[in-house]
Amino acid sequence: MKRFIPYFLLAAAAVVSLASVYGYERHLLYRIGLPLDDSYIHLQYAKNLLAGHGFVYSLGSKPTPGDTSPLWVILIAAGGIFSKNLLAVSLVLSGIFYLLTGLMAYRLGEKILDDKWFALAYALVVIFTGRMLWGAASGMEITLFSFLCLLGVLVYLRDRARGRLGILAGAIFGLAANA
């Protein structure tokens, strides 16, 4: 059970910090929203993808690579199968990947620092970094990209320690490039 204490602490830190941001938004702005127009661009692509119009921003136009994160749009659209509120879907996904980024930072810290408490401190720095917290509350792909990068590094280090380089790390970095 002691083994799971750092994971619990990280999860609690992520949830409390993100809930604090949302609480502040609600108090200050009277609603939770997205801080950038890019977030709404992702939502527009996801909405059209869900409606069967393809990867387009404007109805009637041809598919275009106008969105910077096709993987993020696909994930939002997939979440849109379960909820019509795509804004909420993007915020939930950002939050999930925020937590997962903290957990991957902890795992990487364990490998590099050889001490779980230093690894926990390292992961908490990641969790409490302003830009990371902002990214988690932005509905953007920032936390997905961060999670995939750290996961890719972990898989690469694992494979290297085994004396082989597998295709999985490359595939994860490829996904990160599309995030």
Side-chain angles (χ1 to χ4, degrees), residues 21-35:
V21 169
Y22 290 144
Y24 182 75
E25 281 183 3
R26 200 128 171 99
H27 177 73
L28 186 67
L29 305 172
Y30 304 108
R31 68 186 183 121
I32 296 171
L34 302 174

Side-chain angles (χ1 to χ4, degrees), residues 155-165:
V155 170
Y156 169 79
L157 291 175
R158 180 201 67 197
D159 289 350
R160 196 173 103 197
R162 293 178 179 168
R164 63 180 173 85
L165 293 179

Side-chain angles (χ1 to χ4, degrees), residues 90-105:
S90 69
L91 290 172
V92 167
L93 286 172
S94 288
I96 289 169
F97 287 111
Y98 172 63
L99 170 60
L100 291 173
T101 297
L103 296 177
M104 288 301 108

Side-chain angles (χ1 to χ4, degrees), residues 126-150:
V126 170
I127 289 288
F128 291 129
T129 298
R131 181 64 73 182
M132 189 60 70
L133 182 55
W134 176 85
S138 73
M140 296 280 290
E141 69 281 0
I142 296 160
T143 56
L144 171 63
F145 175 77
S146 300
F147 164 72
L148 289 171
C149 286
L150 292 176

Side-chain angles (χ1 to χ4, degrees), residues 4-15 103 117 120 124 127-128:
F4 295 106
I5 290 173
Y7 295 102
F8 174 76
L9 291 173
L10 279 169
V15 168
L103 296 177
W117 299 112
L120 178 61
L124 286 170
I127 289 288
F128 291 129

Side-chain angles (χ1 to χ4, degrees), residues 14-145:
V15 168
V16 167
S17 61
L18 199 50
S20 297
V21 169
Y22 290 144
Y24 182 75
E25 281 183 3
R26 200 128 171 99
H27 177 73
L28 186 67
L29 305 172
Y30 304 108
R31 68 186 183 121
I32 296 171
L34 302 174
L36 296 174
D37 61 340
D38 291 22
S39 305
Y40 291 100
I41 292 169
H42 294 315
L43 296 180
Q44 182 65 26
Y45 273 92
K47 177 182 158 193
N48 287 332
L49 192 59
L50 268 170
H53 301 297
F55 203 81
V56 298
Y57 181 79
S58 300
L59 293 180
S61 63
K62 294 180 181 178
T64 173
D67 189 89
T68 56
S69 181
L71 179 59
W72 189 244
V73 169
I74 290 168
L75 286 176
I76 293 171
I81 294 169
F82 304 103
S83 171
K84 298 294 180 205
N85 186 345
L86 296 182
L87 186 142
V89 168
S90 69
L91 290 172
V92 167
L93 286 172
S94 288
I96 289 169
F97 287 111
Y98 172 63
L99 170 60
L100 291 173
T101 297
L103 296 177
M104 288 301 108
Y106 173 71
R107 297 285 301 167
L108 185 59
E110 278 185 314
K111 285 207 176 291
I112 294 172
L113 302 170
D114 292 325
D115 182 299
K116 72 177 183 178
W117 299 112
F118 282 131
L120 178 61
Y122 165 71
L124 286 170
V125 167
V126 170
I127 289 288
F128 291 129
T129 298
R131 181 64 73 182
M132 189 60 70
L133 182 55
W134 176 85
S138 73
M140 296 280 290
E141 69 281 0
I142 296 160
T143 56
L144 171 63
F145 175 77

